[in-house]
Amino acid sequence: MSSVTIKRLVKQLSIASTCWAVIFLIDYLIELFQINHTSTITTLSGLKIATQITPHELNTEFTLTFQSLCLYLTFVVIWFVIYSVIKFMKKR
C-alpha cells in the first residue's frame, strides 16, 4: 500500500468516526431527556444509562456496552464498503 492510499484510508476512518460520534451523541441526547424516573436504559447505539432519582439528587451513570463496539465496527465497515464502491464506480 502506498502512503497516499494509507492517508486516504485514515481520512475516511476519521470521517466515519466523526459521523458515528454525531449519531451517538444525538441518540444519547434523545434518550437522556426522556428519562423522568429511576431506571436503566440502553440506547440504540449501545450506551447504558442508569439513573437514580431521589427528592434531593439525580445520579446518572453511563456505561458503554459490547453493542456499542459492534455497532461502531459495523458502521465503519459499511462506510468503507460504500467508499470502495464509489471509488470503483468513479474509475469506470
Side-chain angles (χ1 to χ4, degrees):
M1 292 183 100
S2 70
S3 104
V4 174
T5 304
I6 292 174
K7 285 182 183 180
R8 285 183 186 156
L9 293 177
V10 169
K11 180 180 178 183
Q12 288 303 312
L13 180 61
S14 298
I15 295 170
S17 296
T18 302
C19 289
W20 175 254
V22 169
I23 293 167
F24 189 84
L25 183 64
I26 291 169
D27 183 40
Y28 156 72
L29 290 173
I30 289 170
E31 291 295 332
L32 183 66
F33 289 112
Q34 290 182 357
I35 297 172
N36 56 9
H37 61 281
T38 298
S39 62
T40 300
I41 60 168
T42 302
T43 66
L44 292 175
S45 57
L47 177 67
K48 183 177 173 184
I49 304 172
T51 305
Q52 179 149 9
I53 300 174
T54 66
H56 302 291
E57 62 185 8
L58 168 66
N59 293 319
T60 307
E61 179 182 311
F62 303 99
T63 309
L64 290 175
T65 62
F66 187 67
Q67 177 184 351
S68 300
L69 176 64
C70 292
L71 288 172
Y72 171 71
L73 293 176
T74 303
F75 182 81
V76 170
V77 167
I78 291 170
W79 185 279
F80 276 108
V81 167
I82 292 171
Y83 172 73
S84 299
V85 167
I86 291 171
K87 190 174 176 185
F88 175 75
M89 297 297 273
K90 282 185 178 181
K91 284 186 177 181
R92 291 178 65 189

